[in-house]
Amino acid sequence: NAGVTQTPKFQVLKTGQSMTLQCAQDMNHEYMSWYRQDPGMGLRLIHYSVGAGITDQGEVPNGYNVSRSTTEDFPLRLLSAAPSQTSVYFCASSYGRVNTGELFFGEGSRLTVL
Amino acid sequence: KQEVTQIPAALSVPEGENLVLNCSFTDSAIYNLQWFRQDPGKGLTSLLLIQSSQREQTSGRLNASLDKSSGRSTLYIAASQPGDSATYLCAVLQGGSEKLVFGKGMKLTVNP
């Protein structure tokens, strides 16, 4: 089982560029989410989804878009990157809704915006 | 607003010690609490999940307890080993919410 797979692992962008961080899971999990992890700030929820076609905002959604067209995939889009979006991004999934069980994390995507 | 605190931020101990890691939260209306481990440059791995109706969970050398009324959880690590060195995070799920709130973590170093 691959679990939660994130690509790319590392990315450098210039201010104003756009990109998509990919997240895929092969566990048939309904719940998927994106977090960013910054030194001294801990993990903060960006967006989440409780099933295909359903997404909602987390704590820090500004500057990010998501969609959920399939159960397996939950991409995170940065439309116009800013230096404040330099961070490590984690995708996580859970069977059913998040309050039914443990959360499985990907290995992370380290993004630097110059 | 729920706040989750882990103190101290870092701990260094010799191998073999029994450890207690603390997690406190401000709003006791939680659905569950999870403890995670994060190795450098890696994602988080769930260690233990405690539902609000439970008092504790055990897995191997790990035991987590939950006291909702006092807003506290502890993670007990028995006979610590160098391989236990990592950052440990706790997270709570507010009742009726889909959003986990994380503490900032505690970096544990177990010295041989």
Side-chain angles (χ1 to χ4, degrees):
Chain A
N1 247 352
V4 179
T5 303
Q6 291 183 234
T7 56
K9 293 191 187 308
F10 301 94
Q11 182 72 47
V12 179
L13 289 178
K14 294 181 180 179
T15 297
Q17 287 185 317
S18 63
M19 77 157 301
T20 300
L21 298 178
Q22 302 290 346
C23 175
Q25 52 87 13
D26 61 359
M27 298 174 282
N28 200 32
H29 284 173
E30 291 290 328
Y31 180 91
M32 296 185 73
S33 56
W34 278 102
Y35 288 86
R36 59 178 290 174
Q37 186 175 37
D38 302 291
M41 299 293 292
L43 279 102
R44 293 179 292 170
L45 181 65
I46 305 172
H47 285 286
Y48 66 97
S49 168
V50 298
I54 307 169
T55 63
D56 206 345
Q57 296 181 350
E59 182 184 358
V60 287
N62 292 341
Y64 307 95
N65 281 349
V66 292
S67 60
R68 184 93 179 271
S69 57
T70 67
T71 299
E72 294 78 19
D73 301 298
F74 190 44
L76 179 71
R77 297 183 184 86
L78 286 71
L79 297 179
S80 179
S84 61
Q85 294 179 304
T86 293
S87 186
V88 182
Y89 292 85
F90 289 100
C91 179
S93 71
S94 175
Y95 179 75
R97 298 168 77 89
V98 70
N99 56 15
T100 62
E102 65 182 283
L103 207 54
F104 293 83
F105 279 79
E107 296 264 299
S109 297
R110 185 176 295 274
L111 175 66
T112 301
V113 183
L114 302 175
Chain B
K1 179 184 175 183
Q2 177 74 268
E3 293 183 2
V4 180
T5 303
Q6 294 182 250
I7 296 174
L11 184 65
S12 181
V13 299
E15 181 178 7
E17 283 202 0
N18 298 323
L19 305 174
V20 176
L21 282 60
N22 296 305
C23 173
S24 61
F25 46 94
T26 54
D27 188 340
S28 63
I30 66 169
Y31 194 93
N32 64 35
L33 182 145
Q34 288 190 57
W35 281 94
F36 295 87
R37 168 186 173 136
Q38 185 176 26
D39 294 291
K42 300 292 187 181
L44 281 70
T45 300
S46 181
L47 297 173
L48 290 165
L49 168 68
I50 311 177
Q51 302 292 349
S52 62
S53 58
Q54 298 174 319
R55 296 284 294 184
E56 63 179 295
Q57 283 284 343
T58 298
S59 176
R61 294 183 294 110
L62 304 179
N63 176 277
S65 66
L66 174 64
D67 185 342
K68 267 187 27 176
S69 61
S70 67
R72 294 178 187 273
S73 176
T74 59
L75 178 66
Y76 177 80
I77 302 177
S80 58
Q81 304 170 357
D84 295 329
S85 297
T87 296
Y88 291 81
L89 300 95
C90 68
V92 301
L93 180 68
Q94 206 66 18
S97 167
E98 298 293 343
K99 306 173 186 179
L100 276 177
V101 178
F102 281 84
K104 294 181 181 179
M106 193 211 76
K107 184 177 181 180
L108 173 66
T109 303
V110 181
N111 301 299

